Protein backbone atom coordinates (compact mmCIF):
# COMPACT_ATOMS: atom_id res chain seq x y z
CA UNK A 1 0.00 0.00 0.00
CA UNK A 2 1.51 3.37 -1.01
CA UNK A 3 2.28 5.84 1.83
CA UNK A 4 0.28 8.59 0.13
CA UNK A 5 -2.26 8.92 -2.68
CA UNK A 6 0.01 10.50 -5.28
CA UNK A 7 -2.70 11.05 -7.92
CA UNK A 8 -4.88 12.85 -5.38
CA UNK A 9 -1.95 15.03 -4.32
CA UNK A 10 -1.05 15.83 -7.94
CA UNK A 11 -4.65 16.90 -8.59
CA UNK A 12 -4.35 19.52 -5.83
CA UNK A 13 -1.14 21.00 -7.29
CA UNK A 14 -0.15 22.90 -10.44
CA UNK A 15 2.00 21.24 -13.10
CA UNK A 16 5.69 21.13 -12.07
CA UNK A 17 4.91 22.06 -8.44
CA UNK A 18 7.57 23.72 -6.31
CA UNK A 19 8.46 22.21 -2.96
CA UNK A 20 11.30 23.15 -0.63
CA UNK A 21 14.07 21.83 1.58
CA UNK A 22 14.66 24.50 4.22
CA UNK A 23 17.22 23.61 6.89
CA UNK A 24 18.58 25.99 9.54
CA UNK A 25 22.39 26.18 9.68
CA UNK A 26 22.47 25.85 13.47
CA UNK A 27 24.37 22.58 13.43
CA UNK A 28 25.54 19.79 11.15
CA UNK A 29 23.14 17.87 8.95
CA UNK A 30 21.76 14.78 10.71
CA UNK A 31 19.69 11.80 9.72
CA UNK A 32 16.46 13.64 10.54
CA UNK A 33 17.30 16.24 7.87
CA UNK A 34 18.05 13.50 5.37
CA UNK A 35 14.71 11.87 6.14
CA UNK A 36 12.99 15.14 5.31
CA UNK A 37 15.12 15.52 2.16
CA UNK A 38 14.16 12.02 1.00
CA UNK A 39 10.47 12.92 1.27
CA UNK A 40 11.01 16.34 -0.37
CA UNK A 41 13.10 15.15 -3.32
CA UNK A 42 11.15 11.91 -3.68
CA UNK A 43 7.81 13.71 -3.93
CA UNK A 44 9.20 16.42 -6.21
CA UNK A 45 10.59 13.82 -8.60
CA UNK A 46 7.44 11.64 -8.45
CA UNK A 47 5.26 14.68 -9.20
CA UNK A 48 7.51 16.04 -11.95
CA UNK A 49 8.15 19.05 -9.71
CA UNK A 50 11.07 21.12 -8.48
CA UNK A 51 12.97 21.51 -5.20
CA UNK A 52 13.94 24.89 -3.77
CA UNK A 53 16.78 25.04 -1.25
CA UNK A 54 16.26 27.75 1.34
CA UNK A 55 18.59 28.54 4.24
CA UNK A 56 16.49 29.40 7.28
CA UNK A 57 19.02 31.43 9.24
CA UNK A 58 16.57 33.95 10.75
CA UNK A 59 17.94 33.12 14.22
CA UNK A 60 21.20 35.04 13.96
CA UNK A 61 22.35 33.99 17.42
CA UNK A 62 22.37 30.29 16.59
CA UNK A 63 23.36 30.15 12.91
CA UNK A 64 26.99 29.85 11.81
CA UNK A 65 28.56 30.29 8.34
CA UNK A 66 30.61 27.13 8.97
CA UNK A 67 27.40 25.10 9.43
CA UNK A 68 26.01 26.58 6.22
CA UNK A 69 29.09 25.53 4.21
CA UNK A 70 28.99 22.07 5.76
CA UNK A 71 25.31 21.72 4.96
CA UNK A 72 25.80 22.64 1.29
CA UNK A 73 28.72 20.24 1.03
CA UNK A 74 26.80 17.39 2.67
CA UNK A 75 23.87 17.82 0.29
CA UNK A 76 26.24 17.58 -2.67
CA UNK A 77 27.81 14.48 -1.14
CA UNK A 78 24.36 12.90 -0.80
CA UNK A 79 23.66 13.69 -4.47
CA UNK A 80 20.68 15.89 -3.63
CA UNK A 81 20.69 18.84 -6.02
CA UNK A 82 18.05 21.58 -5.74
CA UNK A 83 16.47 23.03 -8.88
CA UNK A 84 15.98 26.52 -7.39
CA UNK A 85 18.44 28.17 -4.99
CA UNK A 86 21.30 25.99 -6.18
CA UNK A 87 24.31 25.27 -4.01
CA UNK A 88 26.58 27.20 -6.42
CA UNK A 89 24.27 30.21 -6.23
CA UNK A 90 24.11 30.16 -2.44
CA UNK A 91 27.90 29.89 -2.20
CA UNK A 92 28.28 32.96 -4.38
CA UNK A 93 27.00 35.42 -1.75
CA UNK A 94 23.72 37.18 -0.95
CA UNK A 95 20.70 35.27 -2.21
CA UNK A 96 16.90 35.61 -2.05
CA UNK A 97 16.96 32.03 -0.74
CA UNK A 98 18.82 32.90 2.47
CA UNK A 99 16.63 34.48 5.17
CA UNK A 100 19.34 36.78 6.53
CA UNK A 101 19.56 38.37 3.06
CA UNK A 102 15.81 38.92 2.81
CA UNK A 103 15.01 41.50 5.48
CA UNK A 104 13.42 43.83 2.94
CA UNK A 105 10.91 41.14 2.02
CA UNK A 106 9.84 40.77 5.65
CA UNK A 107 9.54 44.55 6.09
CA UNK A 108 7.40 44.73 2.94
CA UNK A 109 5.20 41.89 4.18
CA UNK A 110 4.81 43.68 7.49
CA UNK A 111 3.74 46.85 5.70
CA UNK A 112 1.14 44.80 3.82
CA UNK A 113 -0.19 43.33 7.07
CA UNK A 114 -0.25 46.71 8.76
CA UNK A 115 -2.61 48.09 6.16
CA UNK A 116 -5.48 45.70 6.91
CA UNK A 117 -4.73 43.71 10.01
CA UNK A 118 -4.09 44.27 13.66
CA UNK A 119 -0.41 44.56 14.46
CA UNK A 120 0.74 45.67 17.87
CA UNK A 121 4.01 46.10 19.73
CA UNK A 122 4.62 43.85 22.73
CA UNK A 123 7.25 44.27 25.43
CA UNK A 124 6.42 41.10 27.35
CA UNK A 125 9.40 39.19 28.64
CA UNK A 126 9.32 35.45 29.15
CA UNK A 127 8.87 36.19 32.85
CA UNK A 128 5.79 38.38 32.16
CA UNK A 129 4.30 35.68 29.96
CA UNK A 130 4.89 32.99 32.57
CA UNK A 131 3.30 35.12 35.29
CA UNK A 132 0.32 35.95 33.06
CA UNK A 133 -0.42 32.38 32.11
CA UNK A 134 0.02 31.21 35.68
CA UNK A 135 1.89 28.05 34.81
CA UNK A 136 5.10 26.75 33.38
CA UNK A 137 5.98 28.51 30.14
CA UNK A 138 6.71 26.39 27.10
CA UNK A 139 6.65 26.94 23.36
CA UNK A 140 2.94 26.19 23.20
CA UNK A 141 1.81 28.49 26.01
CA UNK A 142 -0.69 30.79 24.28
CA UNK A 143 -0.17 34.55 24.45
CA UNK A 144 -2.73 36.12 26.78
CA UNK A 145 -3.20 39.34 24.83
CA UNK A 146 -1.58 41.49 27.52
CA UNK A 147 -0.31 44.21 25.11
CA UNK A 148 -3.25 44.19 22.70
CA UNK A 149 -4.76 47.42 23.94
CA UNK A 150 -1.64 49.09 25.38
CA UNK A 151 -0.91 50.95 22.11
CA UNK A 152 2.86 50.70 22.48
CA UNK A 153 4.90 52.19 19.63
CA UNK A 154 7.11 49.87 17.61
CA UNK A 155 10.58 50.32 19.12
CA UNK A 156 13.86 48.60 19.86
CA UNK A 157 13.38 46.15 22.70
CA UNK A 158 9.78 45.49 21.75
CA UNK A 159 8.41 42.62 19.73
CA UNK A 160 5.65 42.78 17.16
CA UNK A 161 2.53 40.64 17.23
CA UNK A 162 -0.42 39.99 14.95
CA UNK A 163 -3.83 39.74 16.59
CA UNK A 164 -5.32 36.29 16.10
CA UNK A 165 -9.11 36.24 16.30
CA UNK A 166 -11.10 33.12 17.22
CA UNK A 167 -11.80 30.82 14.29
CA UNK A 168 -11.18 27.31 13.00
CA UNK A 169 -8.54 26.62 10.36
CA UNK A 170 -9.36 23.57 8.24
CA UNK A 171 -6.95 21.85 5.88
CA UNK A 172 -6.25 18.46 4.38
CA UNK A 173 -2.80 17.11 5.09
CA UNK A 174 -1.70 15.06 2.08
CA UNK A 175 -0.71 12.10 4.27
CA UNK A 176 -2.71 12.45 7.47
CA UNK A 177 -6.01 13.71 6.07
CA UNK A 178 -8.43 16.48 7.16
CA UNK A 179 -7.50 18.49 10.27
CA UNK A 180 -9.01 21.36 12.24
CA UNK A 181 -6.98 23.75 14.38
CA UNK A 182 -7.83 26.89 16.39
CA UNK A 183 -4.74 29.15 16.48
CA UNK A 184 -6.38 31.64 18.89
CA UNK A 185 -6.49 28.84 21.47
CA UNK A 186 -3.24 27.10 20.51
CA UNK A 187 -0.90 30.09 20.40
CA UNK A 188 -2.88 33.34 20.56
CA UNK A 189 -1.54 36.52 18.96
CA UNK A 190 1.40 35.57 16.74
CA UNK A 191 4.86 36.95 17.39
CA UNK A 192 6.30 38.16 14.05
CA UNK A 193 9.42 39.90 15.30
CA UNK A 194 11.01 39.25 18.68
CA UNK A 195 12.29 41.73 21.24
CA UNK A 196 15.82 41.79 19.77
CA UNK A 197 14.47 42.51 16.29
CA UNK A 198 14.75 39.04 14.77
CA UNK A 199 11.97 37.75 12.52
CA UNK A 200 10.32 34.71 13.99
CA UNK A 201 10.32 31.34 12.29
CA UNK A 202 6.53 31.39 11.76
CA UNK A 203 6.56 34.78 10.06
CA UNK A 204 9.69 34.32 7.95
CA UNK A 205 8.65 30.93 6.66
CA UNK A 206 5.15 32.04 5.61
CA UNK A 207 6.53 35.13 3.84
CA UNK A 208 9.17 32.95 2.16
CA UNK A 209 6.71 30.31 0.96
CA UNK A 210 4.60 33.08 -0.53
CA UNK A 211 7.41 35.06 -2.21
CA UNK A 212 9.08 31.89 -3.52
CA UNK A 213 5.79 30.46 -4.83
CA UNK A 214 6.06 27.22 -2.86
CA UNK A 215 3.12 24.94 -3.75
CA UNK A 216 3.87 21.97 -1.51
CA UNK A 217 5.28 22.08 2.04
CA UNK A 218 6.77 18.73 3.07
CA UNK A 219 7.91 18.61 6.69
CA UNK A 220 8.07 16.47 9.82
CA UNK A 221 4.90 15.80 11.78
CA UNK A 222 6.31 17.63 14.83
CA UNK A 223 5.29 20.79 12.93
CA UNK A 224 1.73 19.67 12.19
CA UNK A 225 0.19 21.80 14.95
CA UNK A 226 1.58 25.04 13.51
CA UNK A 227 -0.11 24.58 10.11
CA UNK A 228 -3.32 26.43 11.02
CA UNK A 229 -1.49 29.56 12.13
CA UNK A 230 0.58 29.53 8.94
CA UNK A 231 -2.57 29.28 6.81
CA UNK A 232 -4.09 32.17 8.74
CA UNK A 233 -0.97 34.30 8.30
CA UNK A 234 -0.67 33.45 4.60
CA UNK A 235 -4.27 34.54 4.04
CA UNK A 236 -3.68 37.83 5.85
CA UNK A 237 -0.62 38.39 3.66
CA UNK A 238 -2.91 38.11 0.65
CA UNK A 239 -2.13 34.58 -0.45
CA UNK A 240 -5.15 33.36 -2.45
CA UNK A 241 -4.29 29.64 -2.69
CA UNK A 242 -2.41 28.29 0.33
CA UNK A 243 0.28 25.65 -0.15
CA UNK A 244 -0.62 21.99 0.29
CA UNK A 245 0.94 20.55 3.46
CA UNK A 246 2.30 17.05 3.93
CA UNK A 247 3.69 15.97 7.31
CA UNK A 248 5.83 12.86 7.40
CA UNK A 249 6.84 10.59 10.31
CA UNK A 250 9.93 11.52 12.30
CA UNK A 251 12.90 9.30 12.95
CA UNK A 252 12.90 8.27 16.57
CA UNK A 253 15.60 6.88 18.80
CA UNK A 254 14.97 3.38 20.13
CA UNK A 255 13.46 4.92 23.32
CA UNK A 256 10.86 6.79 21.26
CA UNK A 257 12.61 10.11 21.79
CA UNK A 258 12.75 12.50 18.83
CA UNK A 259 16.15 12.99 17.20
CA UNK A 260 17.72 16.39 17.59
CA UNK A 261 20.75 18.14 16.21
CA UNK A 262 22.56 17.50 19.47
CA UNK A 263 22.48 13.74 18.97
CA UNK A 264 25.78 13.68 17.14
CA UNK A 265 25.69 9.91 16.82
CA UNK A 266 23.43 10.29 13.80
CA UNK A 267 25.24 13.24 12.21
CA UNK A 268 25.89 12.72 8.48
CA UNK A 269 29.56 13.55 9.00
CA UNK A 270 29.87 10.73 11.54
CA UNK A 271 28.10 8.26 9.25
CA UNK A 272 30.34 9.37 6.41
CA UNK A 273 33.48 9.00 8.55
CA UNK A 274 32.29 5.53 9.55
CA UNK A 275 32.39 4.55 5.87
CA UNK A 276 28.72 4.75 4.89
CA UNK A 277 28.04 5.56 1.23
CA UNK A 278 25.55 8.32 0.28
CA UNK A 279 23.10 5.71 -1.01
CA UNK A 280 23.27 3.86 2.31
CA UNK A 281 22.46 7.06 4.22
CA UNK A 282 19.50 7.81 1.90
CA UNK A 283 18.29 4.21 2.21
CA UNK A 284 18.45 4.30 5.99
CA UNK A 285 16.50 7.60 6.13
CA UNK A 286 13.81 6.16 3.83
CA UNK A 287 13.61 3.00 5.97
CA UNK A 288 13.41 4.88 9.28
CA UNK A 289 10.50 7.06 8.11
CA UNK A 290 8.42 4.21 6.76
CA UNK A 291 9.09 4.65 3.05
CA UNK A 292 10.74 1.25 2.73
CA UNK A 293 10.37 -2.03 4.57
CA UNK A 294 14.09 -2.80 4.53
CA UNK A 295 17.29 -0.84 5.17
CA UNK A 296 19.07 -1.10 1.80
CA UNK A 297 20.93 1.49 -0.33
CA UNK A 298 18.87 4.01 -2.28
CA UNK A 299 20.33 6.03 -5.16
CA UNK A 300 19.08 9.61 -5.71
CA UNK A 301 17.71 8.50 -9.11
CA UNK A 302 15.45 6.00 -7.31
CA UNK A 303 13.81 8.55 -4.99
CA UNK A 304 10.68 8.93 -7.15
CA UNK A 305 10.05 5.15 -6.88
CA UNK A 306 9.32 5.55 -3.15
CA UNK A 307 5.98 7.09 -4.02
CA UNK A 308 4.89 4.53 -6.58
CA UNK A 309 6.13 6.07 -9.79
CA UNK A 310 9.28 6.76 -11.74
ZN1 LIG B 1 2.88 41.60 25.36
Amino acid sequence: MPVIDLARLAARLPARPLTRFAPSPTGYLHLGHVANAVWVWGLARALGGRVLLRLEDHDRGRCRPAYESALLEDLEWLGLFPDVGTVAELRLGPSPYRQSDASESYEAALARLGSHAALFACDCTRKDLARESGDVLNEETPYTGRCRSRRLARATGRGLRLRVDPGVERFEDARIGPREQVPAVQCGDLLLQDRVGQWTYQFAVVVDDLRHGVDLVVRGEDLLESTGRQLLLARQLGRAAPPVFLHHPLIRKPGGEKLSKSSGDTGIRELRAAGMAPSEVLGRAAFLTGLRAIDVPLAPAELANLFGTG
Side-chain angles (χ1 to χ4, degrees):
M1 168 136 174
V3 284
I4 63 151
D5 185 339
L6 193 69
R8 186 177 164 83
L9 174 58
R12 297 173 64 194
L13 295 166
R16 298 200 66 224
L18 182 67
T19 184
R20 40 80 157 180
F21 180 64
S24 293
T26 56
Y28 291 107
L29 214 62
H30 61 74
L31 209 50
H33 289 116
V34 183
N36 178 243
V38 162
W39 279 78
V40 166
W41 263 271
L43 281 163
R45 298 300 172 242
L47 290 160
R50 299 156 299 145
V51 177
L52 158 79
L53 173 61
R54 181 166 73 218
L55 296 170
E56 301 205 332
D57 61 348
H58 62 97
D59 185 343
R60 303 306 300 146
R62 294 175 58 223
C63 294
R64 300 277 178 277
Y67 290 139
E68 182 182 306
S69 313
L71 195 153
L72 298 178
E73 194 195 310
D74 287 346
L75 278 181
E76 281 189 321
W77 179 77
L78 286 164
L80 298 173
F81 299 99
D83 307 292
V84 183
T86 61
V87 169
E89 191 184 342
L90 284 159
R91 279 198 179 123
L92 216 55
S95 160
Y97 308 116
R98 182 186 288 110
Q99 291 182 329
S100 61
D101 294 330
S103 229
E104 281 174 21
S105 303
Y106 307 125
E107 282 294 347
L110 209 55
R112 236 162 38 238
L113 276 180
S115 64
H116 64 90
L119 289 181
F120 62 90
C122 164
D123 64 359
C124 295
T125 59
R126 286 182 63 81
K127 227 170 150 183
D128 292 330
L129 296 175
R131 194 173 48 234
E132 282 268 310
S133 49
D135 57 24
V136 183
L137 192 66
N138 61 50
E139 271 174 40
E140 278 300 296
T141 304
Y143 181 68
T144 56
R146 176 175 175 259
C147 299
R148 262 192 188 191
S149 52
R150 292 175 67 208
R151 295 175 175 276
L152 298 172
R154 190 180 170 192
T156 313
R158 287 177 183 162
L160 205 57
R161 287 185 188 267
L162 173 71
R163 198 181 71 212
V164 172
D165 294 318
V168 183
E169 293 293 329
R170 294 181 177 84
F171 60 95
E172 185 186 330
D173 182 276
R175 185 181 72 91
I176 297 166
R179 304 287 293 195
E180 290 188 356
Q181 295 175 356
V182 184
V185 173
Q186 291 175 288
C187 59
D189 303 332
L190 275 176
L191 190 65
L192 308 185
Q193 194 173 33
D194 67 19
R195 292 172 64 242
V196 296
Q198 293 191 134
W199 306 106
T200 60
Y201 164 75
Q202 298 294 348
F203 182 59
V205 85
V206 173
V207 173
D208 290 340
D209 285 339
L210 175 58
R211 71 194 173 97
H212 293 150
V214 170
D215 305 300
L216 174 64
V217 176
V218 179
R219 54 187 201 166
E221 61 188 8
D222 54 332
L223 296 172
L224 178 64
E225 294 307 312
S226 69
T227 308
R229 71 200 67 164
Q230 295 200 0
L231 293 171
L232 179 150
L233 190 49
R235 199 168 55 244
Q236 299 226 9
L237 283 165
R239 182 161 186 164
V244 173
F245 281 83
L246 184 150
H247 291 88
H248 60 74
L250 299 175
I251 293 181
R252 288 179 190 276
K253 283 189 191 176
E257 186 190 335
K258 195 186 120 186
L259 281 186
S260 74
K261 280 165 206 160
S262 54
S263 40
D265 53 327
T266 53
I268 301 315
R269 303 224 145 185
E270 282 79 4
L271 297 176
R272 201 171 153 177
M276 270 180 92
S279 60
E280 290 174 314
V281 176
L282 294 178
R284 178 149 313 164
F287 167 66
L288 290 173
T289 52
L291 285 170
R292 275 184 153 184
I294 45 168
D295 183 359
V296 290
L298 172 71
E302 299 173 297
L303 285 166
N305 303 347
L306 297 170
F307 298 94
T309 180

